[in-house]
Amino acid sequence: MAARPSEQSTATDVLVLGGGVAGLSTALCLLQAGRRVRVAARAYLAGTTSAVAAAFWYPYRAYPEAMVAPWARASYERFAELARAAPEAGVTRRDTIEVFPQFAPPPAWASDLPDFEFVPTAALPPGYGAGHRFTSYVVETPIYLPWLMRQVEAAGGELRVHAYADLDEALRDCPRVVDCTGLGARELVPDPSVYAVRGQVVRVRNPGLSRVWIDEYSGGGITYIVPRSHDVVLGGTADEREEDTTPDPARTPGIIARCARLEPALAGAEIVSVAVGLRPARPAVRLELEARPGGVVVHNYGHGGAGVTLSWGCAAAAAHLLLHT
Ligand SMILES: Cc1cc2nc3c(=O)[nH]c(=O)nc-3n(C[C@H](O)[C@H](O)[C@H](O)COP(=O)(O)OP(=O)(O)OC[C@H]3O[C@@H](n4cnc5c(N)ncnc54)[C@H](O)[C@@H]3O)c2cc1C
């Protein structure tokens, strides 16, 4: 891990604020376009929301839909390529089923997927009235975030630990800034429209599962099962404007019980850890260029429950805004 405080300054074309999935992906796009990039973040890895994410491709709680669909599609293509050609990145192709109490029309993004289909009710677990099936990609953040950091460094980028007080301070360091600070944008910009949606996940030992399941509408809260190589991430909760990052032990049995309805083998699975993250929600993802005294800032934050899903599409769009405006 190369993130370190440093006093030394090297020539930088762009300063990217944020070391989560948004900041690192954007930095990589800018490096690939030949720019000299420094990333500065208050924290990397376990200090980010990105590290808590489940983190599978699924557009959830990110707006507006018309913009989210093309960003999600671009990321889908990149994840497909990584799953095929870069096993060290920790991205895995997964059969995925979303269940519903009754008929549900296909989502707006379904036509972008190669294999979206309806599941016959008889093939669903008992009690569900409809199902959608498609290929998704699971991004194992304990592997993927360090991989992204290595990619940034290998392409010549710098990774620093620094918390900026405001954008003026960042613009004094570099006149071209990309703001990927997630929930931190609320104070940094400042942007009062950013708010937290608290999510609790339970990680259990994998009893041999490989399919992703999603159930948002059967009551009890958003439910998902995300098998990874060494564990399964079980979700979850979506608590609007709650910011306590301490796991609530009272919520854990309910999460496991809802998941065991879909995969009974989870009922007795050994708990490895319980974690909480704060989704950086906003009425709309902010992806725009702002001219300020001292330079320009491209904002790339507010991805809600889909920051991984949107990461490559938004990174490419943010880089394009900075390079071509
Ligand atoms: C329980 C849970 C499950 C989720 N599951 C999924 C999923 O399955 N799929 C999906 O697509 N998404 C999922 N998400 C959402 C996803 O995690 C977020 O949308 C995404 O991580 C946001 O990435 P980010 O880089 O914008 O923010 P973060 O990962 O929070 O990174 C923000 C960065 O900015 C830095 N920063 C903040 N303020 C400052 C400052 N003032 N100065 C310097 N640095 C600063 C932070 O230190 C950090 O490095 C989930 C989230 C949760 C909580």
Side-chain angles (χ1 to χ4, degrees):
M1 207 287 282
R4 61 206 174 258
S6 165
E7 295 78 44
Q8 296 219 318
S9 187
T10 55
T12 300
D13 299 324
V14 186
L15 173 61
V16 175
L17 306 182
V21 69
L24 295 171
S25 312
T26 306
L28 209 45
C29 286
L30 289 162
L31 286 159
Q32 284 161 357
R35 297 305 184 274
R36 291 167 300 182
V37 177
R38 183 193 308 158
V39 179
R42 179 187 293 141
Y44 291 84
L45 302 171
T48 66
T49 299
S50 301
V52 181
F56 63 107
W57 183 97
Y58 181 74
Y60 172 66
R61 280 183 180 252
Y63 315 97
E65 265 185 20
M67 298 299 291
V68 161
W71 293 328
R73 182 173 60 234
S75 304
Y76 190 94
E77 284 163 13
R78 181 67 78 96
F79 289 137
E81 188 186 312
L82 290 174
R84 215 172 26 242
E88 69 280 8
V91 179
T92 311
R93 188 178 194 276
R94 293 283 189 209
D95 182 42
T96 301
I97 295 184
E98 178 165 14
V99 292
F100 304 87
Q102 61 215 13
F103 173 80
W109 41 263
S111 57
D112 292 332
L113 303 191
D115 58 357
F116 183 92
E117 64 181 16
F118 289 95
V119 187
T121 312
L124 295 171
Y128 296 99
H132 298 165
R133 179 181 195 152
F134 54 96
T135 294
S136 182
Y137 290 90
V138 172
V139 176
E140 297 205 28
T141 54
I143 302 170
Y144 185 68
L145 292 173
W147 177 82
L148 274 181
M149 291 171 74
R150 289 198 304 276
Q151 294 293 111
V152 168
E153 288 200 308
E158 276 183 85
L159 298 171
R160 292 197 183 180
V161 177
H162 181 76
Y164 278 91
D166 52 39
L167 288 173
D168 294 336
E169 185 198 346
L171 287 166
R172 280 196 295 276
D173 281 355
C174 181
R176 295 163 85 73
V177 169
V178 187
D179 167 19
C180 303
T181 51
L183 195 58
R186 187 172 52 184
E187 288 78 31
L188 182 84
V189 175
D191 181 348
S193 71
V194 181
Y195 63 98
V197 178
R198 180 185 181 281
Q200 180 161 320
V201 291
V202 182
R203 303 175 187 126
V204 300
R205 279 209 202 291
N206 193 340
L209 307 181
S210 60
R211 175 178 285 155
V212 173
W213 290 93
I214 311 158
D215 176 10
E216 198 182 342
Y217 302 103
S218 299
I222 175 78
T223 300
Y224 48 87
I225 298 171
V226 182
R228 308 196 293 191
S229 42
H230 298 296
D231 59 12
V232 188
V233 183
L234 309 182
T237 68
D239 314 316
E240 298 247 348
R241 298 179 197 276
E242 285 189 25
E243 304 209 7
D244 186 352
T245 53
T246 311
D248 177 357
R251 308 288 290 275
T252 296
I255 292 172
I256 296 173
R258 281 187 272 127
C259 292
R261 228 186 122 191
L262 292 159
E263 289 278 15
L266 289 167
E270 183 193 341
I271 297 175
V272 178
S273 61
V274 182
V276 168
L278 304 179
R279 300 177 182 89
R282 196 173 183 271
V285 173
R286 187 168 188 199
L287 216 167
E288 63 181 352
L289 183 140
E290 183 190 9
R292 288 203 169 214
V296 294
V297 178
V298 169
H299 298 283
N300 178 15
Y301 65 83
H303 306 101
V308 178
T309 304
L310 305 183
S311 56
W312 287 113
C314 288
H320 188 270
L321 270 180
L322 192 76
L323 301 176
H324 300 287
T325 306

